[in-house]
Amino acid sequence: MLTIPAPATNAEGYQNYAYNGGVIKNNGIEILVNAKIIDNDKFKWDATLNYSKNNNEVSGLPEELGGTVILTQPGVNSYRYSLINGRPFGVIEGINLKKDAEGRVLLNEDGSIQKTDFEEVGNANPDYMLGFNNSFKLGNYFLNFTIDGRFGGDVMSLTEAVNDQFGVSKTTGDARDAGGVDINAVYAPGTTKAGQAYAGKYNAESYYSQVGGRAGITGEYVYSATNVSLRELAFGYTFDLKNSKIFKAANLSLVGRNLFFFYKDAPFDPNISLSTGNGLQGIDVYAAPSTRSIGLNLNVTF
């Protein structure tokens, strides 16, 4: 059930409308492959590969709402999260640079940048996910590691947008050092310079004060969520306790988690969300960074 503000013009005078949340149709596949690659008395190597893919589609939203329900109202921000008939759950809407048919940015009479209304700028859903686990054993020593991969999907960084707006990012510093921002732009139809190309570099402060910020052109801050990381690594030793009358088994290992990324496009960890609530997946606004942990693990069985 969804509760949304009722239009101010509704004849009944209601403050809110409650609607059935519509239907989300899911279909997907998960494949798990286990293999004993090497298995002898001296050395063992076991591997597990996990592949998962899920597609979803929203339907059944009331037509009187235009087949759309905004889950996260934008307020002062230039992003929002919406449910849209025929689209997946996870659509991120934002503001883009307005461009002509040739892909050139359109400028107003005073040289300010034109922007679109809200439109889809990303989708937080991955195309598919992979997990690759390996376990090695040589005598009493063992080594285990897990590689996780998320492929496809988008994330948005409002952290980068705000840093750009205030001129404290490396991007804005580089732009100032370069004498401005290279921009492929023309004056928009209806201006006295219509069709005329913008000459020279665009002033860095002016550019990022318009493009950056939570109320800026957020489509410029959408990144691929694809990433591959070393999720866990453990190296240890299993003690020989055949003659022990107290312990049945014991092993000591050095364990590291979230150690590093093999590949990442986004300027933050795309696997974490601003909130666990609906409508904020894939959005970063000065979220706490993901952490790396390294420690000793002692397992004892009596």
Side-chain angles (χ1 to χ4, degrees):
M1 186 68 67
L2 296 170
T3 302
I4 64 172
T9 56
N10 77 90
E12 298 85 359
Y14 295 136
Q15 291 186 336
N16 295 288
Y17 283 157
Y19 285 99
N20 185 299
V23 176
I24 298 179
K25 180 181 178 181
N26 288 277
N27 63 80
I29 184 173
E30 183 170 4
I31 300 173
L32 183 67
V33 178
N34 294 308
K36 288 185 175 295
I37 300 175
I38 300 175
D39 188 6
N40 57 50
D41 294 338
K42 294 183 177 180
F43 181 67
K44 297 180 184 295
W45 177 13
D46 296 333
T48 301
L49 180 66
N50 180 261
Y51 168 89
S52 62
K53 176 181 177 62
N54 182 71
N55 297 316
N56 70 78
E57 182 178 311
V58 176
S59 62
L61 296 176
E63 289 305 321
E64 54 265 41
L65 296 178
T68 300
V69 170
I70 300 173
L71 292 178
T72 306
Q73 292 292 335
V76 299
N77 303 301
S78 290
Y79 73 89
R80 67 188 186 193
Y81 222 78
S82 299
L83 290 176
I84 304 170
N85 279 339
R87 298 294 298 142
F89 177 90
V91 167
I92 303 171
E93 293 189 308
I95 304 294
N96 275 321
L97 297 166
K98 185 177 284 189
K99 299 179 180 180
D100 65 8
E102 298 180 33
R104 298 175 297 183
V105 177
L106 295 174
L107 303 179
N108 294 312
E109 186 74 39
D110 61 357
S112 59
I113 299 170
Q114 291 193 357
K115 56 185 180 181
T116 66
D117 293 326
F118 276 100
E119 59 185 26
E120 183 175 336
V121 297
N123 183 343
N125 296 293
D127 295 332
Y128 62 93
M129 302 183 74
L130 282 175
F132 185 41
N133 178 263
N134 287 269
S135 298
F136 302 91
K137 185 177 180 182
L138 178 62
N140 285 16
Y141 292 94
F142 62 87
L143 174 69
N144 304 325
F145 69 85
T146 299
I147 297 174
D148 279 348
R150 166 181 170 154
F151 300 88
D154 304 292
V155 290
M156 177 186 288
S157 177
L158 274 297
T159 302
E160 291 294 308
V162 173
N163 286 345
D164 282 356
Q165 180 187 32
F166 289 105
V168 295
S169 65
K170 182 179 184 300
T171 299
T172 56
D174 291 343
R176 289 191 295 271
D177 291 342
V181 179
D182 289 315
I183 181 171
N184 181 20
V186 295
Y187 288 90
T191 64
T192 59
K193 300 178 183 178
Q196 181 178 326
Y198 183 84
K201 293 190 176 185
Y202 205 95
N203 178 268
E205 181 180 0
S206 177
Y207 181 84
Y208 286 108
S209 65
Q210 296 176 74
V211 172
R214 295 173 63 172
I217 302 176
T218 46
E220 293 295 290
Y221 296 94
V222 174
Y223 304 87
S224 169
T226 296
N227 69 93
V228 180
S229 65
L230 181 60
R231 185 64 59 197
E232 183 171 303
L233 176 68
F235 176 72
Y237 182 84
T238 300
F239 296 97
D240 187 354
L241 301 176
K242 293 180 181 179
N243 298 322
S244 175
K245 297 181 180 180
I246 300 176
F247 304 109
K248 293 182 179 180
N251 63 68
L252 179 67
S253 59
L254 179 66
V255 181
R257 294 184 176 89
N258 298 325
L259 292 176
F260 59 84
F261 287 95
F262 294 102
Y263 173 82
K264 178 172 68 74
D265 176 63
F268 63 100
D269 185 347
N271 299 304
I272 61 175
S273 295
L274 175 64
S275 169
T276 56
N278 290 333
L280 292 171
Q281 292 82 7
I283 306 295
D284 165 50
V285 187
Y286 290 98
S290 56
T291 57
R292 178 187 300 114
S293 65
I294 299 175
L296 286 173
N297 187 21
L298 175 63
N299 288 324
V300 178
T301 303
F302 294 91

